[in-house]
Amino acid sequence: MNVLRGVKWRYPLIALLAVAALGIGTLRPQLVTAVTSAVKNPSATDLIKQDPPPTLFTDTEIAAIGKAVEAQRAKADALFAQWKKAHGTARDDKAFTDWAAQQVPAPPSAKARTAELRQDQALAKTRTAAGRKAATWLELHGKKDIWQVYLHDQRELIPAARGATEKAELKATLKLAKTISDQLAARDKQPAPFVLDPALRPDKHITPGAKGPYSYPSRHATRSAAAVTFLTALAPHRAGDYRWMQDEVLYSRLYMAGHVTSDLTAGTLLGNLIGDYELTVSGH
């Protein structure tokens, strides 16, 4: 069965639909229907085949956050040039983790964060059933699955050994992104917007007086930026697709009040640094 039936394509499909590849990498999903059997230890492809993407947000909706995160790219490149000059291309995850954490700006002032919270509150008033569905899907699959499926699509076109190596490299990239963003969130202790205003997410059932979960920097943003940096180096011609999906994931975090904008820009800067590091130490 063609699991991509009814999809509106952004570019021609680059995948073999006769096999298990989903090929989400080149699409802008509008309506996908699929029924798949349960799989033990499902891959990212299996997970997305079992839970196909709904209609996602429009380009107009995601444009502002896209512009904000794009500004982090030049900052990251300039900072990473300093790291590379001092450390070369050798892997040293501990030293890099310490250094990268120091490059992330301190959280905004309480006044600035309150202003950002008001933006989330205003956005929450515009929510629709379709928007909630899109945001839920992006929250669930935006940390790892989407990026792994993008790489899977590319691996259909390259030698198996190279594909296996790149799969391991992306896995290491995402793991390092999680490690560092978790450490910073625990250090900076910035409550998520829905903690500051539980009315934004009544489904979260926040205990009165709770301080966490913490949201600075955004884990979704860190992983997305790291993955986009890595994947773009492997397939520069698909950079637009990767950036579009990154913007979708980040906008979903604002839409459902998981983060404020500064959480996302800080995470993006960190993720870009991590992507640059992994590309360098892996010899790309």
Side-chain angles (χ1 to χ4, degrees):
M1 182 172 77
N2 185 347
V3 298
L4 297 168
R5 183 178 62 239
V7 172
K8 176 183 176 183
W9 297 102
R10 186 175 187 192
Y11 296 116
L13 174 62
I14 308 175
L16 300 176
L17 300 183
V19 294
L22 176 62
I24 189 176
T26 55
L27 59 81
R28 286 204 171 197
Q30 298 299 317
L31 178 62
V32 184
T33 58
V35 178
T36 59
S37 59
V39 178
K40 186 176 181 180
N41 299 321
S43 67
T45 298
D46 294 325
L47 292 171
I48 292 182
K49 286 174 72 174
Q50 292 169 13
D51 181 23
T55 300
L56 301 185
F57 297 105
T58 67
D59 288 354
T60 299
E61 290 173 305
I62 67 176
I65 191 59
K67 184 176 181 179
V69 300
E70 176 61 20
Q72 305 308 307
R73 178 71 268 171
K75 296 178 185 178
D77 287 344
L79 288 170
F80 187 74
Q82 299 173 18
W83 165 269
K84 189 173 180 180
K85 182 177 180 179
H87 297 269
T89 60
R91 178 177 288 279
D92 187 342
D93 288 358
K94 183 180 185 306
F96 175 77
T97 295
D98 294 341
W99 175 84
Q102 294 172 12
Q103 311 315 308
V104 177
S109 67
K111 181 178 180 180
R113 195 165 178 85
T114 297
E116 290 186 309
L117 175 62
R118 293 196 186 100
Q119 294 174 350
D120 276 18
Q121 291 168 329
L123 184 58
K125 295 178 181 178
T126 72
R127 289 177 188 162
T128 64
R132 290 188 185 92
K133 187 174 182 180
T136 298
W137 188 88
L138 289 160
E139 180 177 0
L140 178 61
H141 297 292
K143 287 184 178 179
K144 296 190 300 182
D145 298 341
I146 289 169
W147 313 114
Q148 291 170 339
V149 171
Y150 271 130
L151 183 62
H152 181 283
D153 184 32
Q154 289 295 101
R155 288 170 59 207
E156 295 294 319
L157 307 175
I158 61 177
R162 176 181 161 192
T165 297
E166 292 177 354
K167 178 180 179 181
E169 291 169 350
L170 178 60
K171 182 178 179 180
T173 301
L174 293 170
K175 181 179 180 181
L176 188 59
K178 179 181 186 304
T179 296
I180 302 177
S181 59
D182 283 353
Q183 289 179 2
L184 287 174
R187 182 194 72 183
D188 292 328
K189 294 182 170 56
Q190 296 296 301
F194 63 79
V195 175
L196 298 173
D197 179 2
L200 290 171
R201 289 292 297 272
D203 57 302
K204 292 293 186 179
H205 306 295
I206 300 301
T207 302
K211 300 299 182 182
Y214 303 125
S215 68
Y216 185 94
S218 163
R219 296 165 181 83
H220 277 83
T222 304
R223 286 179 169 183
S224 294
V228 168
T229 299
F230 181 82
L231 292 169
T232 297
L234 302 185
H237 61 289
R238 299 184 65 191
D241 287 328
Y242 302 147
R243 273 296 318 280
W244 167 73
M245 182 57 79
Q246 178 185 19
D247 295 348
E248 288 281 346
V249 172
L250 270 56
Y251 181 76
S252 75
R253 309 306 295 132
L254 295 175
Y255 191 86
M256 294 305 292
H259 292 284
V260 293
T261 299
S262 59
D263 297 339
L264 301 176
T265 55
T268 299
L269 176 65
L270 176 59
N272 288 339
L273 291 173
I274 293 167
D276 285 343
Y277 171 74
E278 288 292 345
L279 287 168
T280 297
V281 300
S282 59
H284 288 285

